[in-house]
Amino acid sequence: MGGIQVGNLCHNVGSAARTMMDTMDAIRNILADQFWFSIVLGLVVFGGIQGAVAYAILLERKISAWTQDRYGPNRVGPYGILQPIADGLKFFLKEDIIPANVDKALFIFAPWMIFVVALVGFAVIPWGGSFKWGWMEATAKPMVVQVASVDIGLLYIVAVSSLSVYGVVLGGWASNNKYSFYGAIRAAAQMLSYEVPMGMCLMAAILMTGSLRLEEMVDWQARHGWAVMYHPIAALVLFITALAEANRMPFDLAESEQELIGGYHTEYSALKLALFFLAEYSHMITSSAMMICIFFGGYLVPGWEWLNTTPTFGAALVRVAVFAFKIFLFICLYMLIRWTIPRFRFDQLMRLAWKGLVPMTMTLVAAQGLVLYMGWSQWTTTAVNIGVFLFGGFVSVAGGKAVTGRQLSLRRAEAMG
Amino acid sequence: MESYLVYLAYAVAAIGSAAVYAALPRDGVAPRKSFLVPMLGLTIGGVVVLLDKFTGDAAKTWYSVLLVVLSLGGAVRVVTHPKPVYSALYFVMVVLSTAALMVVCGAEFLGAALVVVYAGAILVTYVFVIMLAQQSHLGTEAQFSMMVDYDRSSREPFAAVAAGFVLVATVAGVIAGRGASAANPVPPPVEGNTMALGRVLLTDFAISVELAGVLLMVAMIGAIAIARRRFPKSEETAAYQPGEIGRHVKPF
């Protein structure tokens, strides 16, 4: 009897081990299939971004504190590192108020719209090149650390980010509040204006690398060096427009607290307000990732050829870490700018876009096209960039009309008082 | 031999037009749901049958049927919703689902361009203008009677639906009459659709592209010329009288 039991036990252990082996094999097969790997990666990226956003808010509070010679949040956990959890709990537990005279459907829809739009842009970001699992055959197609590798990568990001204005505009209008509505109007005008120079910068980069795919742009930079060397002004203008598209500080007229009491999200509370914040910070991360892929070498480290080409999972993880570090630097730059530079006035904002950035970037696109057509060296565009910068500086200094001046066409209207 | 498909296309267009006619807003008369729902179901069923006959395998998946339903339903709501802001948003839905259909059919660039141009730029300005014209509190159901009459009831619903029927039936009938040629699309180019499209646009159709660019430029200059505020030189320094603005301004 004892023997039978032991035998059964052995059998059970054996079958359990076999089941485990089968499960492991199944998991390995799933992970080696690009479709399922993309789904897993999408979930991981979604979770990672949410965590990163929570800590970006803490980082923002810390950086604002250090800029203003304060300590910042330091009560919840050591150095305040549990503060995001406390904030999140607070957002969950507050009463979710829907005011009486709002357009209820749109009032609820707007924060979700802006949140979803801010998240789907991550699908085409190449996080860490390609790699092969240890159990894959040598001839198998390598896995790509990217949720979707589509033919129109960059255009997809532009299309998605052009939808982000709806959340702001609908939220502001549905609130049925004049301040919210002012915020919505400003946001619409601002985002439409700054999409033009953004498109021009992207066009210069697309012409240079000859591809719309972000991963091919990174490959191009692996061969030729970071694109920022050839188009420094395009990179700068792209950064400026990214600030404007994310409604960040010098361009946060849509929510300026002093005039509009928060603008489009004045009437929002609890989880819906949290969605607006999540969307804003997610948007910062997307636009940083896009800029890094286009102009700052993506996951590449200059001089570390072995890292850029090793096709193992570990190396891919290191590349993702490099990419994340670059994003972190960009986020810090965003935050330093927020706590350093004052807000633009609205006419200055419009003049900067239409009279400053658009002509500059048009010149760059034309120069890039000429370089391609004539077959000149790519360094020609560096010279053109420097020339555009010097000319713009000369005009703004010698022209006597700095951005702080008054708008000429408003002179008599202003006299109305 | 398959001429019954042409008549099926006409029938689908006719039923759809009747459904839209029933759904158009009238003063105080709610759309009859018992009539509307089966009509819309019939329309969608007919469209699905037509899709099944005339498209390649790409369009026979469940998600393309879902996208077709979304875009058709959204299009009906664009013309029947009493609140203009919602109409514009349904228009956005139509654009998005149409773009997704284009992606399903392998035209990624066209889909992305549609979203950038229509949803991202043109419809934002629509929404912008509509919002300026109408405050949100006027749109709640309880205040239906406070809405202006052009939002409450549609003008000339029968003529509009008849014109729409002729347009849709013509296009659908032509496609149905062409037979199965649409089911065998040209194989996709090796270099990718986007690159091939760019090449064709800038070689075979270079003049058309340039002309379109010039046309847009002229339209932009015209818009700036119309919108610009002008003040005669003599008035630039004169003291301003209240109510004076715009009185002495000549267009050219």
Side-chain angles (χ1 to χ4, degrees):
Chain A
M1 191 161 172
I4 293 169
Q5 270 183 349
V6 170
N8 268 345
L9 196 65
C10 288
H11 177 74
N12 282 347
V13 168
S15 75
R18 226 173 299 138
T19 323
M20 236 177 85
M21 292 284 283
D22 285 351
T23 323
M24 286 295 288
D25 274 352
I27 289 176
R28 285 179 169 187
N29 280 335
I30 284 176
L31 284 182
D33 184 78
Q34 181 69 49
F35 177 75
W36 292 106
F37 180 73
S38 287
I39 288 182
V40 172
L41 182 72
L43 293 175
V44 169
V45 167
F46 177 74
I49 297 293
Q50 295 312 304
V53 163
Y55 276 88
I57 294 176
L58 176 67
L59 181 70
E60 172 114 88
R61 295 178 65 180
K62 280 285 186 190
I63 285 183
S64 78
W66 294 331
T67 315
Q68 300 163 351
D69 202 12
R70 293 185 283 116
Y71 285 114
N74 62 355
R75 293 294 144 184
V76 194
Y79 303 102
I81 57 168
L82 298 180
Q83 186 70 39
I85 298 168
D87 285 347
L89 272 179
K90 195 184 80 174
F91 273 127
F92 268 110
L93 296 176
K94 286 266 182 174
E95 185 189 355
D96 194 352
I97 300 167
I98 297 182
N101 281 324
V102 300
D103 188 318
K104 206 170 163 190
L106 287 186
F107 188 78
I108 296 169
F109 174 69
W112 288 103
M113 171 97 189
I114 193 169
F115 178 64
V116 169
V117 163
L119 279 181
V120 287
F122 291 115
V124 294
I125 302 285
W127 298 99
S130 59
F131 71 96
K132 279 183 185 171
W133 295 104
W135 58 83
M136 283 168 72
E137 288 142 30
T139 52
K141 220 177 139 201
M143 315 293 298
V144 185
V145 191
Q146 185 179 20
V147 177
S149 171
V150 288
D151 208 17
I152 47 160
L154 196 51
L155 206 56
Y156 170 84
I157 294 188
V158 174
V160 162
S161 71
S162 71
L163 293 178
S164 66
V165 65
Y166 282 103
V168 174
V169 169
L170 293 178
W173 182 75
S175 297
N176 193 16
N177 172 329
K178 286 202 171 58
Y179 294 114
S180 299
F181 189 56
Y182 276 129
I185 290 181
R186 287 181 179 187
Q190 173 183 326
M191 289 189 181
L192 283 179
S193 305
Y194 278 80
E195 254 165 36
V196 177
M198 185 178 85
M200 293 281 177
C201 293
L202 297 182
M203 218 185 309
I206 292 167
L207 281 176
M208 180 169 63
T209 56
S211 176
L212 279 168
R213 285 175 183 261
L214 284 171
E215 62 268 32
E216 283 178 12
M217 291 184 152
V218 175
D219 285 347
W220 188 89
Q221 296 178 69
R223 294 192 302 275
H224 297 85
W226 288 8
V228 67
M229 296 188 300
Y230 306 112
H231 273 296
I233 295 304
L236 182 68
V237 173
L238 187 61
F239 182 72
I240 292 171
T241 58
L243 283 174
E245 294 278 312
N247 268 321
R248 290 291 296 184
M249 188 44 173
F251 304 102
D252 72 337
L253 289 101
E255 49 182 300
S256 52
E257 291 86 354
Q258 296 88 340
E259 310 155 38
L260 300 182
I261 331 157
Y264 57 89
H265 56 62
T266 304
E267 299 283 354
Y268 281 92
S269 57
L271 209 56
K272 295 199 191 72
L273 185 64
L275 283 180
F276 277 120
F277 284 124
L278 284 178
E280 180 184 334
Y281 284 85
S282 305
H283 198 149
M284 280 164 63
I285 299 180
T286 326
S287 53
S288 313
M290 185 182 83
M291 276 186 286
I292 290 166
C293 283
I294 297 171
F295 284 113
F296 296 90
Y299 45 81
L300 305 171
V301 184
W304 286 14
E305 291 304 321
W306 58 271
L307 177 68
N308 304 335
T309 51
T310 312
T312 61
F313 181 62
L317 271 188
V318 176
R319 288 194 289 262
V320 173
V322 167
F323 196 77
F325 180 68
K326 287 185 187 175
I327 292 180
F328 172 75
L329 291 183
F330 262 80
I331 299 280
C332 288
L333 186 58
Y334 271 104
M335 289 173 177
L336 280 175
I337 287 175
R338 170 167 178 180
W339 297 101
T340 315
I341 299 180
R343 184 181 306 128
F344 282 117
R345 214 173 51 214
F346 197 76
D347 60 296
Q348 296 169 344
L349 176 94
M350 285 298 146
R351 245 183 313 164
L352 178 65
W354 290 106
K355 293 186 177 171
L357 302 185
V358 170
M360 280 167 85
T361 47
M362 275 170 128
T363 317
L364 298 185
V365 171
Q368 179 62 50
L370 201 63
V371 165
L372 275 188
Y373 185 72
M374 305 298 283
W376 291 335
S377 156
Q378 187 60 55
W379 291 105
T380 318
T381 57
T382 315
V384 174
N385 269 273
I386 294 170
V388 164
F389 185 71
L390 292 180
F391 182 73
F394 175 76
V395 167
S396 64
V397 172
K401 295 274 192 300
V403 238
T404 47
R406 291 196 307 175
Q407 196 175 357
L408 272 178
S409 63
L410 280 183
R411 191 168 283 165
R412 284 180 58 82
E414 279 173 346
M416 192 162 52
Chain B
M1 133 193 136
E2 290 191 334
S3 60
Y4 77 94
L5 282 171
V6 180
Y7 294 112
L8 179 65
Y10 290 159
V12 168
I15 297 172
S17 311
V20 172
Y21 182 70
L24 280 174
R26 281 172 191 70
D27 202 2
V29 180
R32 288 165 294 268
K33 282 209 176 109
S34 55
F35 171 70
L36 200 57
V37 171
M39 292 294 255
L40 283 178
L42 269 180
T43 315
I44 287 164
V47 169
V48 169
V49 170
L50 285 178
L51 271 184
D52 188 47
K53 291 285 176 197
F54 288 109
T55 47
D57 290 333
K60 283 178 186 164
T61 51
W62 61 270
Y63 46 83
S64 54
V65 172
L66 179 73
L67 290 171
V68 167
V69 170
L70 273 181
S71 53
L72 282 180
V76 170
R77 288 309 269 156
V78 171
V79 288
T80 58
H81 206 287
K83 300 179 205 165
V85 171
Y86 282 78
S87 291
L89 287 179
Y90 276 113
F91 201 166
V92 176
M93 192 174 94
V94 173
V95 167
L96 289 183
S97 44
T98 313
L101 274 174
M102 287 174 176
V103 173
V104 169
C105 297
E108 308 99 342
F109 180 80
L110 207 53
L114 193 70
V115 173
V116 171
V117 173
Y118 274 89
I122 293 179
L123 282 165
V124 172
T125 45
Y126 276 20
V127 171
F128 190 67
V129 171
I130 293 168
M131 284 176 175
L132 276 177
Q134 193 196 32
Q135 283 296 300
S136 61
H137 61 95
L138 284 178
T140 52
E141 293 297 332
Q143 286 157 315
F144 191 72
S145 57
M146 281 173 66
M147 291 165 73
V148 276
D149 63 336
Y150 47 78
D151 284 342
R152 268 187 307 169
S153 52
S154 48
R155 298 248 172 96
E156 301 292 348
F158 185 76
V161 165
F165 166 73
V166 170
L167 197 66
V168 172
T170 310
V171 173
V174 166
I175 294 175
R178 242 175 57 191
S181 62
N184 302 315
V186 191
V190 192
E191 53 187 356
N193 275 329
T194 311
M195 203 174 266
L197 182 68
R199 203 177 292 285
V200 167
L201 277 183
L202 289 183
T203 52
D204 297 355
F205 297 98
I207 304 263
S208 318
V209 171
E210 296 290 331
L211 276 181
V214 171
L215 187 68
L216 283 176
M217 178 93 167
V218 170
M220 194 170 77
I221 292 173
I224 292 171
I226 291 171
R228 196 172 163 211
R229 270 185 285 186
R230 276 181 201 74
F231 302 105
K233 261 273 181 274
S234 59
E235 292 188 14
E236 197 120 279
T237 50
Y240 175 74
Q241 302 295 315
E244 185 193 22
I245 269 238
R247 209 169 56 201
H248 301 296
V249 180
K250 294 188 182 67
F252 289 102

